[in-house]
Amino acid sequence: MTAYSRRRIITGLAVALAAPTLARAHQVKLPDHFNLTAVQTGRTDWLPGEIHVLPDEFHLYLMGQGGAAIRYGVGVGRKGLYESGVFTVARKAKWPWWRPTQSMIRRDPGKYAKYKNGMKGGPNNPLGARALYLYDDQGRDTYLRIHGTNAPSTIGSAVSNGCARLTNEHVKDLYERVEIGARVTLHPKVTSA
């Protein structure tokens, strides 16, 4: 990530810190702590422009300077499907195309086999309005995503097939702030849920 990119993110955080108004635009009533909020994490070891997902809190943090961050509520992978690690945002898409993985089809063919050839982007697509594609250090697609959802009531729960999901309104905001090359840490779950 370039110095210019970091400055842009930090500038964006300053705007968000001054007036985080997007949370008021929700069509679904979320608990206050899952709404987009400017926070001070106290984590100076988390660098500007990085994303940190804390699955037990159901929060995603986009970091700014000195521990400042924008916090978003998320849904995460259900038991046995959440994968922790450090990844890179290698691609971004608006209204992304989606295809279930072979593992998803094997686990639940009744739900996913009909989509084996994929689904075009749009309001009914499970990836929602935007997607950030997470790659490993060897440049391979992990099939993990940070994406929107057409089921905003799932924010704050562990129900996905491994991805982190935000409301469509929140993922649109995050999408505009995150640069290709941003580091993403999906922190380990401490609870067994």
Side-chain angles (χ1 to χ4, degrees):
M1 183 174 295
T2 67
Y4 170 76
S5 298
R6 280 200 177 91
R7 275 195 305 279
R8 209 173 115 205
I9 289 167
I10 293 162
T11 302
L13 281 173
V15 170
L17 290 169
T21 58
L22 186 61
R24 296 184 202 117
H26 273 297
Q27 301 302 313
V28 171
K29 177 72 173 147
L30 294 175
D32 286 343
H33 67 100
F34 291 139
N35 282 318
L36 181 149
T37 308
V39 297
Q40 175 49 253
T41 66
R43 297 296 305 251
T44 56
D45 56 324
W46 292 359
L47 301 178
E50 291 182 346
I51 293 173
H52 292 268
V53 174
L54 299 179
D56 294 323
E57 291 181 14
F58 299 102
H59 287 134
L60 177 152
Y61 295 87
L62 174 60
M63 299 307 298
Q65 285 285 22
I70 301 174
R71 184 182 72 197
Y72 304 81
V74 295
V76 297
R78 65 183 182 263
K79 187 175 181 177
L81 296 180
Y82 179 82
E83 183 178 336
S84 62
V86 179
F87 307 96
T88 300
V89 175
R91 188 165 78 87
K92 301 181 350 177
K94 294 180 178 181
W95 294 107
W97 179 86
W98 170 78
R99 182 190 155 308
T101 65
Q102 289 302 319
S103 310
M104 291 167 68
I105 294 170
R106 278 193 302 278
R107 273 194 308 274
D108 194 344
K111 185 174 183 179
Y112 296 115
K114 61 187 169 191
Y115 301 113
K116 67 181 180 184
N117 295 320
M119 175 188 244
K120 69 179 183 171
N124 296 320
N125 186 303
L127 291 184
R130 305 287 185 272
L132 308 176
Y133 294 75
L134 306 186
Y135 283 59
D136 65 19
D137 285 338
Q138 287 75 46
R140 292 183 300 244
D141 188 354
T142 64
Y143 297 98
L144 295 172
R145 313 283 185 250
I146 296 172
H147 62 82
T149 181
N150 57 14
S153 62
T154 62
I155 302 305
S157 60
V159 296
S160 80
N161 281 288
C163 297
R165 58 175 63 179
L166 293 79
T167 66
N168 280 332
E169 291 85 2
H170 286 177
V171 80
K172 286 177 183 179
D173 181 82
L174 180 68
Y175 180 94
E176 294 302 325
R177 298 178 190 278
V178 174
E179 298 287 331
I180 298 294
R183 297 298 280 171
V184 176
T185 301
L186 302 178
H187 291 267
K189 280 188 177 184
V190 176
T191 64
S192 61

